[in-house]
C-alpha cells in the first residue's frame, strides 16, 4: 500500500498504512537543557528533526528552536526547563522552527536527569506532532479493535501460549481472558484431528507460512457439550523492534453457518433419495423384488443396514394387540457393514417380537420410531439370545422402525439401522423414512393383491385344464403346460386330448387373448364346449364354426384354436385351424413337415368359415401342437422360433416324455415369458384296419 496519503505528506487527518511497526516511523529527537535554558546535549535525532548540526546549537539558548513568543508570553525553552524540574515529567505540544524556517507542531516530553557530580539537566524527547497523532490513532484503532470486534483476535508466543486475546474469543471459548493467558492454545481448542491443528500452528510459527480461512472443528473446556466450527486465519508475528516472535490469529465462529450448509446438503440428499425411490421401488409386481428395491434404495445412502418384514396377521381385519407377540416374515435385507451384520439382517426368515418391544411401541402410534441399540432395546425386542449377541456385535448404534401401511392396514414393517460413525436419525430423517415406507407399502400392497389375483387365476386355469388326457391305445401323448413368468399374468392357453368312439382321438390346442381370471374363465368355457361338441361334429371345420358362435355369444374375442381328429383305422387326420400356429408332423424317417392349410380367423369374430384339411399320417408319426409362447420370445422372432422347434423335433429321441422336456429346456432355457403349451402325440394304426367294438356305437360321428 502507498506510504504517502493522497494530497501529499501534509494531508491532515489521514491514517497511513505503512510497512513495519508504528514506532519505526516516529522520529524521536533527544536533547538536553541546562539551568540557563541552553542546549547542552544534541542527539542525532535532534539534528534530523530540527535541521541543526550539533556545533551550531550546543551552548546556545534553546529559544532558537521556537518561533518568537507572542507579547507577554514566556520563553518556550524556559517553560520546558522549569516545568521539567518542578513536575518531574511534563508532556506538551508546541510549535517549533526548522532550520529552514518551516514551522511545525511538535510533541515534547521533559524530565530532569542528575549527573554523577550532582549537577542536573532537563532531558527532552521530541517528535513531530503528526507522527505522534498517527501512532495515537493507530493505537486507538487497535484498542477499539480488541475491545469491540466480534471476531476472535489472539496473540501467541513461540510456545503457542496465549499472550493477548480479545473478549470475543474468550466468549467463544466460554472462559475468561485471564484463564487463557499462559495456556497453550491446543489445550483450549480441543480437536479430534489427530494433532493436525497443532502441526498447522507450529508450521506458521516456525516457517512463517500463513493460513487463511481453515475450518476447524473443536470443543473447549468452557463449552464441553457444544461442537463448534471455526474459520481460522493465522500469521507469524514479525518480531520487529525487539518484539517476541509468535503467532497472531483471527477466529470466526461459523458453527451456525456450517450447520446450515450441512442441513441444506442433507435436505438435497433426502430429496435425491426420494427421487431415486420413486424410480426404483415398484418396478415389478413381485413382492420380494419390490421389498429388495426398498432396501437397495436405503443402503448405503440413508443407512448402513435395512430389512423389510411382512406381518403375518391371522386376518387382515385383525386388530393389533400390544399384549401379544408379533410374528413377521422377513422378505428382504441388506447391509454395508462387515460381519456379523450380514448374518444379523439376512439369517432369519420368521421373526417373533415379544410384547413391549420397540416394534409394538411403533405400531401403537403408527409413526416411525428411532431407538438406540442399548441393553434395554436388545432385551425388550430380541427374543433369542444368539440374535441378541449378533445385534450387539453388528456395529449398529441406532435403529429407525417405520410401519408399512396401505389401505388403512399395517402390511409390515421396515427397519433402517445406522452405525456410530453416522449421525443419529433426525426428525427430518424420520419424515423421510415415513415417506419411503409409504411409497413402498403401496407398491408392496399392489404386489400382494396382484399375486393373490394371479394365484386365483392360476388355480382356476389349472383346475380347468385336463388333469389326465383321454388318449386311446393308438395315440401316445405327452403334454406340458408352463405358466408365464412373474411379470406376466396368467394367460388363456389351453389344450385337451379327447377320446371318441372307434378309438379316435381329438387333439385340441387353443389360446384366449388376454390374461388373468377373465382369460382363464374364457379358456375353461371353450375347452368344455369343445369337448361337448367333439362327440357330435365329425368335421373339425363345422366344430370350429359352432365353437366360434359360442365364443361370440359369450363375448370371447380373438381366441385361436387348432383342432385335429385322428382315426387309427384309416391313418388319416382331419384338421381345422382358427388363427393358431401351424401343426408340425415328424415322419418316421425324421423329416419334419409344417402343415399350414388355409388358416381361418380367430374364434369370436363370427361369420367366417373354417376349412377342413385331410392329411395321411404314416404309422409312427409324431404330431406337435403348441401355443405361441414356445416359439415367440423376446429377442427372437416367430420364424426363428419355428425353425428352432422344427430342429428340436427332428432330433427328438427317447420317450415322448423325454422329448417334451428336452424341447422345452432347449427352446426356453430361462423359462417362459408367456404361458406355453406343448402337446406331442405319436400315432399308430389299428392292425389290419379293424376297428374295435366301440365303432358299432359310433353313430353319426363314425359316418
Amino acid at each position: 500500500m502507498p506510504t504517502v496519503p493522497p494530497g501529499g505528506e501534509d494531508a491532515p487527518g489521514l491514517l497511513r498504512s505503512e510497512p513495519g511497526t508504528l514506532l519505526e516511523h516516529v522520529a524521536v529527537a533527544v536533547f538536553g537543557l541546562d539551568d540557563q535554558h541552553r542546549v547542552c546535549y544534541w542527539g542525532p535525532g535532534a539534528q534530523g528533526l530540527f535541521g541543526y548540526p550539533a556545533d551550531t546549537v550546543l551552548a546556545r539558548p534553546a529559544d532558537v528552536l521556537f518561533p518568537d513568543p507572542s507579547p507577554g508570553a514566556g520563553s518556550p525553552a524556559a517553560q520546558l526547563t522549569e516545568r521539567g524540574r518542578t513536575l518531574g515529567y511534563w508532556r506538551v505540544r508546541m510549535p517549533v522552527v526548522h532550520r529552514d524556517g518551516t514551522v511545525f507542531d511538535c510533541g515534547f516530553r521533559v524530565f530532569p536527569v542528575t549527573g554523577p557530580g550532582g549537577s542536573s539537566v532537563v532531558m527532552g524527547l521530541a517528535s513531530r506532532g503528526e507522527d505522534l497523532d498517527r501512532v495515537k490513532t493507530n493505537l486507538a484503532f487497535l484498542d477499539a479493535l480488541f475491545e469491540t470486534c466480534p471476531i476472535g483476535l489472539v496473540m501467541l508466543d513461540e510456545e503457542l501460549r496465549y499472550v493477548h486475546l480479545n473478549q470475543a474469543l474468550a466468549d467463544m471459548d466460554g472462559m475468561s481472558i485471564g484463564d487463557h493467558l499462559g495456556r497453550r492454545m491446543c489445550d483450549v481448542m480441543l480437536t479430534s484431528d489427530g494433532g493436525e491443528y497443532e502441526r498447522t500452528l507450529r508450521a506458521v510459527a516456525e516457517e512463517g507460512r500463513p493460513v487463511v480461512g481453515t475450518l476447524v472443528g473443536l470443543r473447549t473446556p468452557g463449552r464441553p457439550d457444544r461442537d463448534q466450527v471455526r474459520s481460522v486465519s493465522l500469521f507469524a508475528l514479525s518480531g520487529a523492534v525487539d518484539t517476541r516472535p509468535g503467532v497472531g490469529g483471527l477466529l470466526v465462529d461459523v458453527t451456525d453457518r456450517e450447520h446450515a450448509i450441512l442441513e441444506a446438503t442433507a435436505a438435497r440428499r433426502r430429496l435425491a433419495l426420494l427421487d431415486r425411490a420413486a424410480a426404483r421401488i415398484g418396478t415389478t409386481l413381485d413382492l420380494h423384488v419390490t421389498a429388495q428395491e426398498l432396501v437397495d434404495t436405503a443402503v448405503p445412502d440413508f443407512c448402513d443396514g435395512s430389512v423389510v418384514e411382512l406381518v403375518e396377521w391371522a386376518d387382515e381385519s385383525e386388530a393389533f394387540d400390544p399384549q401379544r407377540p408379533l410374528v413377521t416374515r422377513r422378505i428382504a435385507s441388506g447391509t454395508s457393514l462387515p460381519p456379523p451384520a450380514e448374518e444379523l439382517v439376512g439369517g432369519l426368515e420368521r421373526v417373533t417380537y415379544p410384547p413391549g418391544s420397540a416394534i409394538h411401541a411403533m405400531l401403537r402410534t403408527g409413526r416411525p420410531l428411532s431407538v438406540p441399540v442399548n441393553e434395554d432395546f436388545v432385551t425388550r425386542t430380541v427374543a433369542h439370545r444368539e440374535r441378541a449377541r449378533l445385534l450387539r456385535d453388528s456395529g449398529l448404534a441406532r435403529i429407525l422402525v417405520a410401519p408399512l401401511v396401505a389401505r388403512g392396514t399395517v402390511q409390515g414393517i421396515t427397519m433402517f439401522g445406522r452405525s456410530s460413525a453416522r449421525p443419529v436419525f433426525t426428525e427430518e430423517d424420520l419424515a423421510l423414512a415415513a415417506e419411503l415406507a409409504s411409497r413402498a407399502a403401496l407398491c408392496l400392497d399392489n404386489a400382494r393383491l396382484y399375486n393373490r389375483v394371479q394365484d386365483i387365476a392360476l388355480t382356476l386355469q389349472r383346475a380347468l385344464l385336463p388333469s389326465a388326457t383321454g388318449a386311446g391305445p393308438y395315440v401316445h401323448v405327452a403334454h406340458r403346460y408352463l405358466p408365464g413368468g412373474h411379470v406376466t399374468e396368467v394367460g388363456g392357453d389351453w389344450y385337451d386330448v379327447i377320446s371318441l368312439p372307434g378309438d379316435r382321438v381329438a387333439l385340441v390346442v387353443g389360446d384366449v387373448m388376454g390374461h388373468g381370471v377373465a382369460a382363464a374363465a374364457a379358456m375353461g368355457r371353450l375347452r368344455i364346449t369343445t369337448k361337448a361338441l367333439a362327440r357330435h361334429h365329425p368335421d373339425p371345420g363345422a366344430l370350429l364354426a359352432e365353437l366360434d358362435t359360442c365364443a361370440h355369444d359369450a363375448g370371447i374375442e380373438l381366441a385361436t384354436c387348432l383342432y385335429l381328429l385322428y382315426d387309427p383305422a384309416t391313418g388319416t387326420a382331419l384338421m381345422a385351424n382358427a388363427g393358431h400356429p401351424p401343426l408340425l408332423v415328424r415322419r418316421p424317417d425324421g423329416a419334419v413337415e409344417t402343415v399350414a392349410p388355409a388358416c381361418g380367423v380367430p374364434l369370436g369374430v363370427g361369420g367366417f368359415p373354417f376349412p377342413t384339411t385331410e392329411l395321411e399320417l404314416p404309422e409312427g408319426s409324431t404330431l406337435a401342437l403348441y401355443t405361441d409362447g414356445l416359439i415367440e420370445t423376446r429377442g427372437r422372432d416367430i420364424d426363428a422360433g419355428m425353425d428352432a422347434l422344427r430342429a428340436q423335433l427332428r432330433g427328438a429321441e427317447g420317450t415322448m416324455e423325454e422329448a417334451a422336456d428336452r424341447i422345452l429346456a432347449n427352446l426356453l432355457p430361462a423359462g417362459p415369458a408367456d404361458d406355453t403349451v406343448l402337446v406331442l402325440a405319436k400315432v399308430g394304426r389299428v392292425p389290419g384296419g379293424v376297428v374295435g367294438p366301440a365303432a358299432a356305437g359310433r353313430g353319426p360321428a363314425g359316418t
Side-chain angles (χ1 to χ4, degrees), residues 24 175 230 261 316 345 347 356 364 370 434 461 481 542 545 584-586 624 642 702:
E24 287 179 316
M175 301 164 55
R230 295 181 186 173
I261 292 173
E316 280 197 4
V345 301
R364 278 197 299 268
S370 175
Q461 186 180 40
Y481 166 75
L584 296 182
V585 179
R586 182 183 187 273
M642 287 292 299

Side-chain angles (χ1 to χ4, degrees), residues 275-585:
D275 286 340
R276 290 194 297 274
R280 295 175 61 177
I281 299 176
T283 59
T284 73
L285 287 172
D286 185 283
L287 199 64
H288 291 78
V289 171
T290 300
Q292 193 62 46
E293 287 171 343
L294 171 59
V295 171
D296 294 342
T297 299
V299 179
D301 292 342
F302 180 64
C303 60
D304 298 307
S306 178
V307 297
V308 176
E309 299 173 3
L310 297 182
V311 178
E312 294 194 342
W313 302 114
D315 190 295
E316 280 197 4
S317 60
E318 177 183 357
F320 168 65
D321 184 354
Q323 302 304 319
R324 297 174 58 188
L326 185 72
V327 180
T328 65
R329 180 166 52 91
R330 187 167 295 178
I331 61 173
S333 63
T335 181
S336 58
L337 295 176
E342 186 172 351
E343 182 182 356
L344 172 70
V345 301
L348 199 64
E349 181 178 349
R350 192 175 300 275
V351 187
T352 300
Y353 296 103
S357 72
I359 311 303
H360 286 70
M362 179 272 298
L363 290 178
R364 278 197 299 268
T365 63
R367 293 190 297 271
L369 176 67
S370 175
V371 291
V373 180
N374 53 25
E375 195 60 34
D376 180 68
F377 169 80
V378 174
T379 302
R380 289 176 175 272
T381 305
V382 184
H384 302 285
R385 179 177 301 178
E386 180 61 22
R387 304 297 301 176
R389 182 192 66 80
L390 288 174
L391 179 57
R392 293 187 187 97
D393 298 341
S394 66
L396 294 175
R398 201 161 191 91
I399 291 178
L400 193 163
V401 189
L404 298 170
V405 181
R407 294 181 293 114
T409 302
V410 175
Q411 308 285 333
I413 61 173
T414 180
M415 288 188 274
F416 309 100
R418 283 183 178 176
S419 68
S420 57
R422 287 183 184 250
V424 299
F425 292 108
T426 64
E427 289 298 324
E428 291 76 12
D429 291 330
L430 265 67
L432 174 61
E435 181 66 24
L436 288 174
S438 176
R439 297 188 182 197
L442 182 60
C443 295
L444 288 170
D445 190 51
N446 289 338
R448 291 181 70 175
L449 292 176
Y450 165 77
N451 287 339
R452 185 175 303 170
V453 172
Q454 188 183 38
D455 289 343
I456 293 172
L458 187 59
T459 301
L460 174 62
Q461 186 180 40
R462 286 174 174 169
L464 294 174
L465 289 173
S467 56
T469 58
Y474 304 106
V475 178
H476 301 284
V477 176
H479 54 89
R480 298 289 185 273
Y481 166 75
L482 297 179
H486 290 298
V487 293
T488 305
E489 294 180 344
V490 173
D493 291 21
W494 58 284
Y495 65 95
D496 208 346
V497 179
I498 306 170
S499 295
L500 296 172
D503 294 327
R504 294 172 303 157
V505 175
L507 304 175
V508 192
V509 174
D511 185 0
V512 177
M513 181 172 291
H515 298 88
V517 174
M523 171 271 292
R525 296 182 69 172
L526 291 179
R527 174 177 172 264
I528 293 171
T529 303
T530 301
K531 194 163 189 174
L533 293 174
R535 299 186 178 278
H536 304 284
H537 288 275
D539 178 42
L543 184 145
L544 290 185
E546 187 68 26
L547 192 61
D548 176 55
T549 301
C550 295
H552 187 270
D553 293 342
I556 301 173
E557 299 178 355
L558 303 179
T560 65
C561 182
L562 176 66
Y563 182 91
L564 182 144
L565 177 62
Y566 175 68
D567 188 346
T570 61
T572 60
L574 300 177
M575 183 186 70
N577 193 334
H580 202 78
L583 171 74
L584 296 182
V585 179

